[in-house]
C-alpha cells in the first residue's frame, strides 16, 4: 500500500538519503554526522516549503493517503478504556462506522466514527469506512444512549461517502441519514465533530451535526468528490483538480465559509508523517471544546446548535 | 397547393404534430394527445405515468382557489464560491433558470388552504437548476418550517430535486442539516409535517427532509433514492431490478406510507390533516 505523492518527491528523496546515512551510521560506518545534521535541517525546510504551497487537489491526496491515521489509531493514541458497542438493534452491525464509550483525558465521552482500514483486508471488512444505513442507525442509538447517560458525543469523520449499494438503498440510506440530521439537531448533550480525513458528503454529515465542528488541516470536506463533480459539471473526470479548486473543500476555505469552527494544525509533512504529534494536538483542541460546551445549560446548548445551522449558507434577499 | 410542394407540407405537418399536438409518454412510450395529458394533470391517460408539474401548477392543484400566499419570494442564489465549471459561471446558470421559470429559487413557500384547512407549504420546482438544494432553498424551507412552528400550522413539503447544488459546494451540503433542524423543531412542538415525494426526489433532498415526514406520501412511479443508479451499478458491478428506486420500491421496503395518484392528492392530504387535534384534548389539558 506504499503510495508516493508526486508533489512530495523532494521530501521523499531527502528522507531516503537520510535513512541510508543513518543506517550506515548505526552500523558503525560513521563519519556522516555533520552531513546528517545538514540534511535534517534541509529536510525540515523542504517540508515546510512543499506544504506551504499545497493545492486543493494535493490536499485531497493527503486526506486519502493510505498512511494517514485512521480512527483505530486515534483510539490507541489519545483515547483510553474504549468499550465498543455493536449493532443497530434492527438489522446488523456495520463495520464501516463504529462507536462506544471512551475516555479522553478525564472526560467520559461517546465516541463514534467512520472506520477505514489500514490495509486491503481491513478495508474490505470495514467497507473502506463507507457505512450502510445500519451504521447510521447504530450511531443514532449510541447518541441517544449518550443523552441518557449525560455524556458528550465526539464523532470522527473519515469517509468517501455513505455506501452506494443496492442493499443500502433497500434499507433506506436516505432515511437513515435524514433521521440522524434531524435527531442530532436536538440532541441534549454536546456534540464535537472532527473531520480527520475525507469528509464525503451526506455520509460525513450523517454524524457531523456538531456544536463544534473541527477539521484537521489537510482533511477535506465536500458535497461531492472532485472526481464526481468533474464528471458531471465538466463531463470529464480528468478535470478533478479544477473541481477540487472550485469546490472550496480545504480546511482554510471551510473556516472562511463558516462551516467549521477551528482548524487543528498538522505539522508540515502531514499527519501521515507525524501521527503522534497530530493526535496530541487534536486531543488538546477537542478537550478544550468539550470543557467549554460542558459549561452550557442544555437549553442554551440546543438553542446555540439550532442557531448555528440556521445561519449556514449564503443567499441574496 | 399554393407555394409549397406536397412533401414540404407533409414535413411541416409532422413537425407540428410532434411538437404541438402530441406528447410521447415516458411511461408507456405511446403518443398521447397533448391536451388530454394536460387535462389529466400531466398524467398519461393511458398508463397513469406522472409527468412533472411546475410549482405554480402544483399550487393550483393543491390549494383552494386564491388562498396561496407566497412568503420570502425575493430570496435568490448568491455565488458564495465564485463557482465556474466546464460550462461557465454559476451566476449564468442561475440567470438562465430565473428567466426560464420566472422563479428566484428552486422552491416556492407560503401559506394556503386545503379544503379550508390552513397549512404552510414548500413546493419545489425541478425546472430551477434541477430542483437542487441551494442556500436559498434551504433558507426558505427552514423559514417556512419556523413559521409553521410558531403558528402551529401543519407543514407540507412537495419535493422534486436531484439533490444538493454542487455550485454552492459545502454550503449546499449544510442545507441538509439546516432544513432538518427545522423539521426537528416541528416534531418537538408536535406540529404535523407531511412530506410528498414527486419525481425525482434523490440525493441530498432524499437524505434530509424528504423521508423524515410524519407521513411520507409519494406519487406513483417517482424516482426516489440516495445514490445515483449508475454509481451503484459501477460500485457493486451488478444489474439493478427494474423497479429499483421508485416510489413502489420504497413502499415495499417500508419508507413510504402511501402512493397517491395526483387526482387524489389534495383529498388525501385533507384526510390526513383532519386527524390532527390541535387542542390536545386527549392529553388532559
Ligand atoms: Zn403512458
Amino acid at each position: 500500500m506504499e503510495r508516493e505523492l508526486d508533489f512530495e518527491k523532494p521530501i521523499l528523496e531527502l528522507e531516503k538519503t537520510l535513512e541510508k546515512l543513518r543506517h550506515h551510521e548505526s552500523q558503525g560506518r560513521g563519519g556522516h554526522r555533520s552531513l546528517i545534521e545538514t540534511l535534517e535541517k534541509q529536510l525540515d525546510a523542504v517540508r515546510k516549503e512543499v506544504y506551504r504551497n499545497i493545492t486543493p487537489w494535493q490536499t485531497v491526496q493527503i486526506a486519502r493517503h493510505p498512511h494517514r491515521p485512521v480512527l483505530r489509531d486515534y483510539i490507541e493514541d489519545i483515547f483510553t478504556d474504549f468499550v465498543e458497542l455493536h449493532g443497530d438493534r434492527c438489522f446488523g452491525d456495520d463495520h464501516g462506522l463504529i462507536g462506544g464509550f471512551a475516555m479522553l483525558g478525564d472526560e467520559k465521552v461517546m465516541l463514534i466514527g467512520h472506520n477505514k482500514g489500514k490495509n486491503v483486508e481491513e478495508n474490505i471488512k470495514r467497507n473502506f469506512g463507507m457505512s450502510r444505513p445500519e451504521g447510521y442507525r447504530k450511531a443514532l442509538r449510541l447518541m441517544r444512549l449518550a443523552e441518557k447517560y449525560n455524556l458528550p458525543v465526539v464523532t470522527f469523520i473519515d469517509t468517501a461517502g455513505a455506501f452506494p449499494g443496492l442493499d443500502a438503498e433497500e434499507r433506506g440510506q436516505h432515511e437513515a441519514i435524514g433521521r440522524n440530521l434531524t435527531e442530532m439537531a436536538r440532541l441534549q448533550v454536546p456534540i464535537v465533530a472532527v473531520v480527520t480525513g475525507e469528509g464525503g458528503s451526506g455520509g460525513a454529515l450523517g454524524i457531523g451535526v456538531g456544536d463544534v465542528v473541527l477539521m484537521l488541516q489537510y482533511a477535506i470536506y465536500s458535497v461531492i468528490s472532485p472526481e464526481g463533480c468533474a464528471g458531471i459539471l465538466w463531463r470529464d473526470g480528468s478535470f478533478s483538480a479544477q473541481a477540487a479548486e472550485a469546490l472550496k473543500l480545504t480546511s482554510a476555505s471551510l473556516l472562511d465559509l463558516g462551516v467549521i469552527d477551528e482548524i487543528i494544525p498538522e505539522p508540515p509533512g502531514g499527519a501521515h508523517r507525524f501521527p503522534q504529534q497530530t493526535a496530541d494536538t487534536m486531543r488538546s483542541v477537542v478537550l478544550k471544546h468539550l470543557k467549554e460546551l460542558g459549561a452550557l445549560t442544555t437549553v442554551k446548548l440546543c438553542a446555540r446548535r439550532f442557531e448555528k445551522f440556521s445561519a449556514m449558507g449564503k443567499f441574496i434577499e | 397547393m399554393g407555394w409549397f410542394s406536397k412533401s414540404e407540407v407533409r414535413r411541416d405537418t409532422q413537425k407540428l404534430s410532434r411538437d404541438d399536438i402530441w406528447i410521447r409518454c415516458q411511461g408507456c412510450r405511446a403518443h398521447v394527445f397533448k391536451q388530454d395529458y394536460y387535462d389529466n394533470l400531466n398524467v398519461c391517460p393511458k398508463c397513469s405515468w406522472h409527468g412533472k408539474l411546475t410549482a405554480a401548477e402544483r399550487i393550483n392543484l393543491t390549494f383552494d382557489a386564491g388562498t396561496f400566499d407566497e412568503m420570502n419570494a425575493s430570496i435568490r442564489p448568491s455565488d458564495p464560491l465564485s463557482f465556474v465549471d466546464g460550462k461557465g459561471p454559476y451566476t449564468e446558470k442561475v440567470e438562465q433558470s430565473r428567466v426560464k421559470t420566472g422563479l428566484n429559487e428552486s422552491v416556492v413557500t407560503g401559506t394556503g388552504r386545503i379544503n379550508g384547512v390552513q397549512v404552510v407549504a414548500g413546493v419545489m420546482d425541478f425546472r430551477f437548476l434541477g430542483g437542487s438544494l441551494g442556500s436559498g432553498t434551504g433558507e426558505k424551507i427552514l423559514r417556512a418550517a419556523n413559521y409553521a412552528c410558531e403558528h402551529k400550522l401543519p407543514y407540507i413539503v412537495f419535493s422534486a430535486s436531484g439533490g444538493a447544488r454542487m455550485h454552492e459546494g459545502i454550503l449546499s451540503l449544510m442545507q441538509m442539516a439546516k432544513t432538518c433542524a427545522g423539521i426537528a423543531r416541528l416534531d418537538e412542538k408536535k406540529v404535523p409535517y407531511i412530506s410528498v415525494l414527486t419525481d425525482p426526489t434523490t440525493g441530498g433532498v432524499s437524505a434530509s427532509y424528504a423521508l423524515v415526514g410524519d407521513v411520507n406520501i409519494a406519487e406513483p412511479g417517482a424516482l426516489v433514492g440516495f445514490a445515483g443508479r449508475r454509481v451503484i451499478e459501477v460500485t457493486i458491478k451488478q444489474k439493478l431490478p427494474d423497479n429499483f428506486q421508485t416510489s413502489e420500491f420504497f413502499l415495499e421496503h417500508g419508507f413510504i406510507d402511501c402512493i397517491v395518484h395526483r387526482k387524489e392528492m389534495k383529498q388525501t392530504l385533507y384526510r390526513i390533516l383532519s386527524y390532527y387535534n390541535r387542542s390536545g384534548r386527549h392529553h388532559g389539558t
Side-chain angles (χ1 to χ4, degrees):
Chain A
M1 281 284 278
E2 203 71 40
R3 196 174 64 179
E4 297 192 348
L5 305 179
D6 270 352
F7 65 89
E8 280 198 336
K9 254 190 190 135
I11 301 173
L12 291 164
E13 274 167 17
L14 271 170
E15 280 175 343
K16 268 176 210 155
T17 312
L18 263 168
E19 201 181 312
K20 265 183 206 153
L21 287 171
R22 288 201 193 103
H23 182 68
H24 274 236
E25 194 75 10
S26 71
Q27 289 185 328
R29 288 180 283 166
H32 302 304
R33 185 134 301 156
S34 68
L35 180 58
I36 288 174
E37 273 170 27
T38 313
L39 285 180
E40 275 172 347
K41 270 183 205 146
Q42 209 177 316
L43 175 61
D44 205 44
V46 168
R47 268 199 303 254
K48 278 184 187 141
E49 184 54 30
V50 168
Y51 270 73
R52 186 178 302 134
N53 299 307
I54 253 162
T55 66
W57 180 235
Q58 289 166 342
T59 311
V60 171
Q61 291 161 41
I62 301 169
R64 293 173 180 168
H65 197 286
H67 294 166
R68 192 167 175 84
V70 295
L71 180 63
R72 285 282 172 191
D73 297 311
Y74 293 116
I75 290 174
E76 275 175 32
D77 290 346
I78 58 175
F79 289 91
T80 53
D81 196 31
F82 178 57
V83 183
E84 186 172 352
L85 302 170
H86 295 271
D88 70 342
R89 300 294 190 268
C90 297
F91 179 83
D93 186 40
D94 195 280
H95 301 291
L97 205 168
I98 65 166
F101 298 117
M103 296 286 296
L104 182 64
D106 56 357
E107 293 278 341
K108 294 171 189 157
V109 305
M110 180 64 80
L111 175 64
I112 295 165
H114 297 110
N115 192 31
K116 277 189 186 173
K118 297 286 265 184
N119 52 51
V120 176
E121 299 83 70
E122 277 182 12
N123 263 323
I124 287 167
K125 181 165 183 249
R126 300 175 188 179
N127 204 29
F128 297 83
M130 291 188 289
S131 175
R132 291 179 166 85
E134 46 274 23
Y136 293 101
R137 292 185 181 124
K138 172 169 67 179
L140 182 56
R141 179 175 79 84
L142 300 187
M143 287 188 245
R144 286 190 165 133
L145 182 56
E147 200 172 45
K148 180 176 176 183
Y149 285 16
N150 199 23
L151 299 172
V153 174
V154 176
T155 68
F156 275 39
I157 293 164
D158 187 14
T159 184
F163 184 62
L166 172 62
D167 56 347
E169 292 288 324
E170 276 180 344
R171 297 198 289 276
Q173 190 74 283
H174 39 27
E175 191 273 347
I177 292 171
R179 185 70 56 197
N180 280 17
L181 303 185
T182 308
E183 297 306 322
M184 288 181 88
R186 60 173 168 184
L187 200 77
Q188 302 204 340
V189 289
I191 304 170
V192 174
V194 190
V195 186
T196 63
E198 277 184 284
S201 196
L205 187 62
I207 58 166
V209 184
D211 299 296
V212 167
V213 180
L214 307 169
M215 196 164 161
L216 279 181
Q217 188 173 359
Y218 302 118
I220 55 166
Y221 195 5
S222 181
V223 67
I224 186 171
S225 71
E227 292 88 341
C229 183
I232 296 167
L233 295 183
W234 277 261
R235 297 194 185 277
D236 183 349
S238 67
F239 284 86
S240 300
Q242 283 88 334
E245 190 92 36
L247 284 166
K248 305 266 194 296
L249 43 63
T250 64
S251 60
S253 292
L254 292 173
L255 190 67
D256 279 348
L257 291 166
V259 171
I260 62 165
D261 300 281
E262 189 174 333
I263 297 170
I264 302 170
E266 294 178 41
H272 57 288
R273 209 167 257 108
F274 302 102
Q276 189 62 52
Q277 253 175 279
T278 307
D280 288 343
T281 315
M282 184 196 286
R283 178 181 187 276
S284 64
V285 175
V286 173
L287 270 174
K288 177 188 78 182
H289 286 288
L290 283 176
K291 304 248 188 255
E292 281 174 19
L293 293 170
L296 301 174
T297 63
T298 306
V299 174
K300 174 89 181 146
L301 182 77
C302 291
R304 253 186 44 153
R305 194 184 305 138
F306 184 83
E307 291 312 319
K308 176 190 169 97
F309 284 92
S310 290
M312 292 273 181
K314 292 199 166 74
F315 53 89
I316 299 168
E317 188 171 13
Chain B
M1 284 310 299
W3 302 313
F4 300 104
S5 75
K6 264 185 185 171
S7 67
E8 270 171 354
V9 171
R10 203 180 304 125
R11 209 185 307 128
D12 199 45
T13 321
Q14 273 177 354
K15 211 170 162 192
L16 188 73
S17 72
R18 210 170 286 143
D19 291 350
D20 296 328
I21 301 175
W22 299 97
I23 191 166
R24 178 89 176 254
C25 169
Q26 289 176 42
C28 64
R29 300 270 144 208
H31 284 94
V32 179
F33 190 48
K34 222 172 182 179
Q35 198 56 49
D36 286 348
Y37 171 76
Y38 291 142
D39 290 347
N40 203 36
L41 317 175
N42 292 15
V43 174
C44 171
K46 290 188 175 148
C47 74
S48 276
W49 173 80
H50 281 50
K52 291 181 179 64
L53 290 179
T54 66
E57 288 169 335
R58 177 80 60 188
I59 287 165
N60 285 337
L61 259 179
T62 309
F63 301 100
D64 303 346
T67 65
F68 189 82
D69 262 335
E70 191 175 357
M71 48 170 80
N72 300 310
S74 64
I75 291 179
R76 60 192 172 89
S78 70
D79 182 17
L81 308 190
S82 307
F83 196 94
V84 180
D85 63 36
K87 289 171 251 163
Y90 172 45
T91 48
E92 262 175 33
K93 274 173 225 172
V94 169
E95 220 27 61
Q96 284 163 8
S97 267
R98 290 180 73 197
V99 168
K100 186 174 74 186
T101 63
L103 300 172
N104 278 331
E105 249 304 352
S106 60
V107 69
V108 175
T109 54
T111 57
R113 290 184 181 274
I114 295 179
N115 295 346
V117 179
Q118 178 85 352
V119 302
V120 181
V123 183
M124 301 191 77
D125 194 316
F126 189 77
R127 296 171 307 156
F128 195 99
L129 295 170
S132 56
L133 179 55
S135 296
T137 319
E139 180 72 15
K140 290 176 85 171
I141 297 268
L142 175 68
R143 282 196 201 175
N146 290 345
Y147 186 90
C149 213
E150 204 179 306
H151 296 85
K152 295 243 175 184
L153 294 172
Y155 189 34
I156 304 172
V157 176
F158 295 85
S159 292
S161 172
R165 191 176 297 165
M166 282 172 282
H167 317 79
E168 293 190 19
I170 194 77
L171 293 179
S172 167
L173 187 72
M174 290 303 128
Q175 302 313 306
M176 294 168 65
K178 174 172 173 167
T179 52
C180 283
I183 303 305
R185 279 225 163 155
L186 289 173
D187 200 47
E188 259 166 32
K189 304 275 187 227
K190 295 192 163 62
V191 176
Y193 167 51
I194 301 171
S195 174
V196 182
L197 295 87
T198 76
D199 184 58
T201 299
T202 59
V205 166
S206 79
S208 56
Y209 52 85
L211 277 128
V212 294
D214 305 334
V215 178
N216 297 331
I217 305 174
E219 285 196 332
L223 173 68
V224 176
F226 174 66
R229 189 187 180 98
R230 241 184 355 173
V231 174
I232 298 170
E233 280 177 339
V234 169
T235 306
I236 64 174
K237 298 175 186 71
Q238 195 180 317
K239 207 177 137 41
L240 298 165
D242 280 343
N243 76 335
F244 183 61
Q245 290 186 323
T246 57
S247 307
E248 292 75 12
F249 178 85
F250 283 110
L251 179 74
E252 183 65 29
H253 287 285
F255 292 97
I256 302 266
D257 289 280
C258 45
I259 293 176
V260 175
H261 191 287
R262 193 167 286 164
K263 278 183 186 164
E264 307 294 328
M265 188 62 81
K266 179 173 181 174
Q267 189 58 22
T268 304
L269 289 169
Y270 173 72
R271 286 169 63 203
I272 292 167
L273 291 170
S274 68
Y275 283 92
Y276 172 48
N277 287 317
R278 279 178 79 164
S279 61
R281 64 194 157 90
H282 296 300
H283 304 289
T285 47

